[in-house]
Amino acid sequence: MAASVRHLLKPWTPSLCLVRWSRYNPYYLDPDPSKDARVPESELSPEEKELQELKTVSPIKAALSSDTSSAFNDPLISKFINMMMQDGNKILARGIMTQTLETIKRKQVEKYHKSPAAKREEIECNPYTVFHQALENCKPIIGLASVQKGGKSYQVPVPLTDNRRRFLAMKWLITECRDNKHRRTHMYEKLSQELLAAFANEGNVVKRKHDLHKMAEANRAYAHYRWW
Amino acid sequence: MHFLFNFDNTHLSTYHSEGHSGQYYTLPPTHIQKLFPYGLPPRFQLQIKTFNEGCVMVRPPALELISYLKRADYSKPPLRYVLYGDIGTGKTMSLCHALHYCYSQGWLIVHVPDAHLWVKNCKELLPSSSRPSRFDQPIQASQWLKNFKITNERFLSKLKTTQRYVWTKRESTEKGQPLGELIDQGVNRMKSSSDVVGAVLRELRLQAGGATEGEGAFKLAVAVDGVNALWGKTSLKKEDRTMPEELTLIHNLRKMMKNNWSGGAILTALSQTGSVFKPRSAYLPSELLGEEGFDNMEPFVPVSVSNYNEKEFESCYLYYLDRNWLQHPHSRSEEGKKELIFLSNKNPSILERLCAFL
C-alpha cells in the first residue's frame, strides 16, 4: 500500500513527450539536418534570402531521432525502414535493411570481379542506386479508384500523387517478400532478390505494376466518371 | 601506402618483415582450400568469395609471432603463444597468418578452428566406450578428422603408429600402420572417433621431435582458437540433466597443451565471442582463461592484438576502394573517411561491417 501511495506523491512527467504526434500548426517548418543547409548570403537570390529570413524567425518542428546530419542519411531508405518495421522494432528493421544492401552489393561486386573487363562498366555495384532505380521501376503511373454510380461501383482509372506512388511501390515490395516466397529464407535474401529483379524490370512486383496499368487501360471508358 | 603482392606467392610469408606492416598479401587459392577449409572467420570467407581472392593485412602481432617462430629452438619443449585482445581486433586472422607461415614451411598442422564449438551445442553426446566417466562427441570428432586429413595429406602415409590400438572386440589398428589408416578408422566408425582423435594427437606428440633422419623429421604446429573453452564451463548436459565433467576431446586437447614433448610450437588465441558464461568486457588472459587455465598455460608468451593504427586504417580503406567495395559517394570523400574512423574507432571487424552496406 505504501508503494502505490508513494507513486502518487512523486512529481509525474510523461516518459514520452508526444510532440510529433500532435498536429503542428501549418507555419512550422521541417527541419533540415544536412550540413549544407547554411549557405553564405552572397550566393542567394532575393527569394532565397527571404526564405532564409523566414527560417531564422519561424518555429521548426522537432527532428526525428532517426535523422542524422551525416551524408549517409537517405530519406527514401528511412521511409522504407519505417514501412518494414513491425511493433515498433526499428532496430530489427534497420538491421534487415543494412543486410539487404550488403547482400545486393556482394552479389553485384562478385559479378563485377568475375566478368571480363568489357562488361564491367555495365554492372551497377552501388546498392543505393540499385534500390532507387528498382523503386522507380515499381512505381505505377496510373491507379484505380472505386466510384459508385447508379447503384454499381466501377473501377475508374485515376492519376496518383507522388507520395501515393512511392507508398504503393514500397508496399508491394514488402508484401511480395513477406507472402510469396519460401518460408525458410531470410527477409534480406528475399528483398535483395526482388530488388535486383526489379532493377532489371523483371520479377513479381513489376508484373503487378504492369497488371495495374493493363486494368486501367481496359477501364478507359469509365474515365469520365471521375469528377476530381 | 597499400600495395598488393601480385607475384610468386609460394613462400611469401617468410619474406615478411617490419617494413611490410600495413600492406596486404594474397593467399594462394590452393593453400586456402587445403589449409583453411573451415579455419577462417565466416565474414572473411564471405569476403574471399565476393572479391574472388583472399588478401590478408600484415600486422605487427602476426609479424612478432612469425619472428619468434623463426628464432625458436625446436629441440627444446614447445613455446606457447597466446594472442589476446579486445573483440574484433584480429586475433583469429593473425593466428591464421602465422599458421599459413608454418604451412608454407612444411610443418604438420593441428588446427582447432574454434574450441568453443566442442563445448556447447553438441547434438550427440555418447558415453565413452573406453572409459566409464567420459563423454564422446562423434560428430565433432569425425568432422575434425576429415579436415585434418585434407590439410596434412602428405604426412599421412609417412607416419606410422607406435602402439597397438584396440577399438572394439573385432577392430584394432596394429603397430606400424600408417596414420592415414587410423584416421580412416575414425571417420568410418563414428563411435570411436573421439578416441581416434586422442590416439592421433598422442602419436604426433611422440613423433614430433623424435626422428633424427632427414625424411622422418617434421615440426608440429598446434593452433587452437578459443583456448579459454578448454578450462571453462560447458553448456552441455547429459540426459538426466547434469553437466558432464570430462569430455574426451577436451581432455586430449589439454594434454596437447602441456609442453612435455618437443619439436614444434603451440599457437593459441583467446576468444570471448564464442565463450560460455563469460562477460563481454573480459579480454585479458587471466580473466578469460580462469585460474585453472592460467596455471596450465603458464609459462606462455602473450601477444597483444589491438585496433588499427593510422597507417593500417589507411591501407584497409585503400584496399576497399581498390576492390570496388566502398560504393557510397560520401564514403569516398575525406569527410566520409573521418566519419568511418569515428564510427568504427578503427576496430577491424566494426569497420568491415560498416563498409559492407555503405
Side-chain angles (χ1 to χ4, degrees):
Chain A
M1 206 233 11
S4 57
V5 169
R6 197 165 138 242
H7 166 73
L8 290 168
L9 286 174
K10 69 180 179 202
W12 179 80
T13 42
S15 48
L16 278 173
C17 282
L18 310 174
V19 181
R20 269 260 169 188
W21 297 357
S22 60
R23 213 185 61 175
Y24 276 112
N25 200 308
Y27 61 65
Y28 273 65
L29 301 170
D30 279 317
D32 187 7
S34 64
K35 283 186 194 148
D36 309 323
R38 293 201 106 215
V39 184
E41 292 238 353
S42 49
E43 295 177 8
L44 296 173
S45 63
E47 297 113 1
E48 285 179 342
K49 276 196 183 149
E50 269 189 56
L51 267 174
Q52 203 73 347
E53 287 282 312
L54 269 177
K55 276 188 189 171
T56 44
V57 171
S58 47
I60 304 183
K61 296 182 200 168
L64 294 171
S65 41
S66 55
D67 288 335
T68 40
S69 67
S70 92
F72 292 130
N73 179 25
D74 190 351
L76 205 60
I77 303 256
S78 306
K79 193 57 99 179
F80 194 74
I81 291 175
N82 285 339
M83 286 192 65
M84 255 205 308
M85 173 168 66
Q86 280 180 325
D87 301 327
N89 197 348
K90 179 90 114 190
I91 303 175
L92 186 62
R94 202 178 63 178
I96 296 176
M97 192 69 219
T98 48
Q99 282 172 326
T100 313
L101 293 168
E102 188 188 327
T103 328
I104 296 176
K105 192 160 65 147
R106 263 190 214 280
K107 287 187 189 168
Q108 294 293 89
V109 170
E110 212 181 312
K111 235 171 38 174
Y112 178 90
H113 284 300
K114 284 192 181 150
S115 63
K119 289 202 179 167
R120 278 188 176 183
E121 282 169 11
E122 297 161 356
I123 301 177
E124 178 60 56
C125 290
N126 189 345
Y128 293 87
T129 44
V130 168
F131 180 77
H132 288 269
Q133 187 56 45
L135 208 67
E136 275 299 319
N137 291 350
C138 290
K139 281 186 185 172
I141 304 173
I142 193 167
L144 289 172
S146 189
V147 170
Q148 257 211 348
K149 185 145 173 144
K152 214 171 130 189
S153 50
Y154 299 95
Q155 292 290 327
V156 173
V158 120
L160 298 169
T161 60
D162 228 0
N163 279 344
R164 178 82 185 149
R165 295 167 64 205
R166 187 187 63 189
F167 171 79
L168 277 176
M170 290 189 188
K171 190 80 182 171
W172 289 345
L173 265 174
I174 295 174
T175 40
E176 162 70 33
C177 288
R178 279 186 189 157
D179 304 332
N180 293 354
K181 300 276 189 183
H182 183 66
R183 179 184 70 91
R184 300 255 331 190
T185 37
H186 291 286
M187 184 67 178
Y188 65 85
E189 276 172 45
K190 297 188 255 195
L191 259 179
S192 63
Q193 282 166 12
E194 263 318 308
L195 282 169
L196 282 169
F199 182 69
N201 268 317
E202 307 157 342
N204 282 341
V205 192
V206 169
K207 183 166 158 293
R208 187 167 169 177
K209 172 188 93 158
H210 287 322
D211 287 342
L212 182 64
H213 285 177
K214 282 180 204 158
M215 279 283 285
E217 186 61 33
N219 286 6
R220 264 176 68 176
Y222 301 129
H224 292 285
Y225 288 174
R226 183 172 65 96
W227 64 84
W228 60 88
Chain B
M1 280 317 292
H2 111 285
F3 160 63
L4 286 171
F5 285 71
N6 285 324
F7 47 84
D8 169 44
N9 275 320
T10 39
H11 298 288
L12 225 40
S13 304
T14 44
Y15 299 143
H16 290 156
S17 62
E18 295 299 317
H20 295 149
S21 161
Q23 295 180 350
Y24 277 84
Y25 87 100
T26 327
L27 288 172
T30 41
H31 282 201
I32 299 180
Q33 254 180 348
K34 282 220 143 181
L35 228 203
F36 296 128
Y38 50 94
L40 292 167
R43 285 202 73 96
F44 187 68
Q45 280 173 347
L46 275 178
Q47 189 176 303
I48 295 181
K49 188 165 162 269
T50 314
F51 294 165
N52 221 14
E53 64 175 14
C55 278
V56 178
M57 195 199 279
V58 174
R59 292 184 73 197
L63 282 175
E64 214 183 301
L65 251 189
I66 294 180
S67 68
Y68 291 156
L69 287 171
K70 280 186 197 169
R71 283 183 282 170
D73 183 3
Y74 291 110
S75 54
K76 302 228 178 82
L79 280 168
R80 286 182 280 227
Y81 308 96
V82 174
L83 284 160
Y84 72 97
D86 214 348
I87 297 181
T89 44
K91 304 182 281 287
T92 312
M93 287 306 293
S94 304
L95 188 72
C96 293
H97 185 161
L99 208 60
H100 181 248
Y101 164 76
C102 298
Y103 182 76
S104 55
Q105 297 288 302
W107 293 27
L108 196 145
I109 309 280
V110 169
H111 183 39
V112 179
D114 195 357
H116 292 297
L117 296 173
W118 289 0
V119 154
K120 55 178 184 174
N121 297 344
C122 292
K123 302 247 166 91
E124 280 183 24
L125 202 65
L126 304 172
S128 166
S129 40
S130 45
R131 262 148 272 235
S133 63
R134 296 255 189 89
F135 291 88
D136 270 0
Q137 287 148 306
I139 318 176
Q140 275 83 14
S142 53
Q143 180 72 35
W144 185 83
L145 283 169
K146 277 183 217 161
N147 293 329
F148 181 77
K149 196 166 150 186
I150 298 174
T151 314
N152 298 306
E153 251 170 313
R154 51 204 168 132
F155 286 104
L156 293 180
S157 45
K158 289 188 208 162
L159 297 171
K160 314 274 179 201
T161 55
T162 51
Q163 199 200 325
R164 184 166 182 269
Y165 294 102
V166 180
W167 309 120
T168 57
K169 281 184 212 161
R170 279 169 240 163
E171 288 164 15
S172 63
T173 314
E174 301 299 326
K175 181 173 168 177
Q177 295 273 325
L179 214 59
E181 263 208 39
L182 200 59
I183 296 182
D184 288 326
Q185 166 74 32
V187 171
N188 295 332
R189 295 263 173 259
M190 296 268 269
K191 267 199 146 178
S192 48
S193 46
S194 317
D195 294 320
V196 168
V197 169
V200 163
L201 290 178
R202 190 169 163 278
E203 291 299 319
L204 292 172
R205 265 208 307 278
L206 289 172
Q207 296 185 20
T212 41
E213 328 100 57
E215 218 194 78
F218 64 91
K219 285 191 240 178
L220 183 61
V222 181
V224 184
D225 201 348
V227 165
N228 40 332
L230 297 181
W231 292 284
K233 303 185 201 165
T234 52
S235 69
L236 298 170
K237 294 176 184 149
K238 299 187 297 204
E239 278 127 16
D240 54 333
R241 302 223 206 127
T242 48
M243 290 198 277
E245 304 96 18
E246 279 282 16
L247 294 162
T248 340
L249 289 172
I250 305 295
H251 183 84
N252 290 320
L253 256 191
R254 281 189 200 175
K255 281 197 272 184
M256 207 65 186
M257 292 284 123
K258 283 194 228 162
N259 46 3
N260 46 9
W261 45 284
S262 67
I266 305 182
L267 313 158
T268 64
L270 299 174
S271 166
Q272 194 282 330
T273 37
S275 65
V276 273
F277 307 120
K278 286 281 177 204
R280 197 194 180 285
S281 53
Y283 74 96
L284 294 168
S286 53
E287 292 165 350
L288 280 176
L289 284 173
E291 273 189 34
E292 205 194 319
F294 203 82
D295 294 329
N296 275 317
M297 287 295 280
E298 192 141 51
F300 61 84
V301 179
V303 181
S304 135
V305 188
S306 57
N307 288 336
Y308 285 153
N309 55 24
E310 304 283 338
K311 188 173 144 194
E312 288 173 341
F313 180 85
E314 245 333 292
S315 166
C316 186
Y317 182 77
L318 288 170
Y319 175 62
Y320 285 146
L321 277 180
D322 174 66
R323 290 276 92 195
N324 210 14
W325 190 231
L326 282 173
Q327 286 289 329
H328 200 283
H330 181 67
S331 66
R332 297 185 179 194
S333 64
E334 269 308 306
E335 285 182 6
K337 200 164 133 192
K338 282 187 205 160
E339 266 198 61
L340 284 174
I341 297 180
F342 173 72
L343 286 170
S344 65
N345 195 20
K346 295 191 216 135
N347 184 299
S349 77
I350 296 189
L351 178 67
E352 200 262 311
R353 273 163 212 268
L354 268 183
C355 295
F357 62 85
L358 284 177

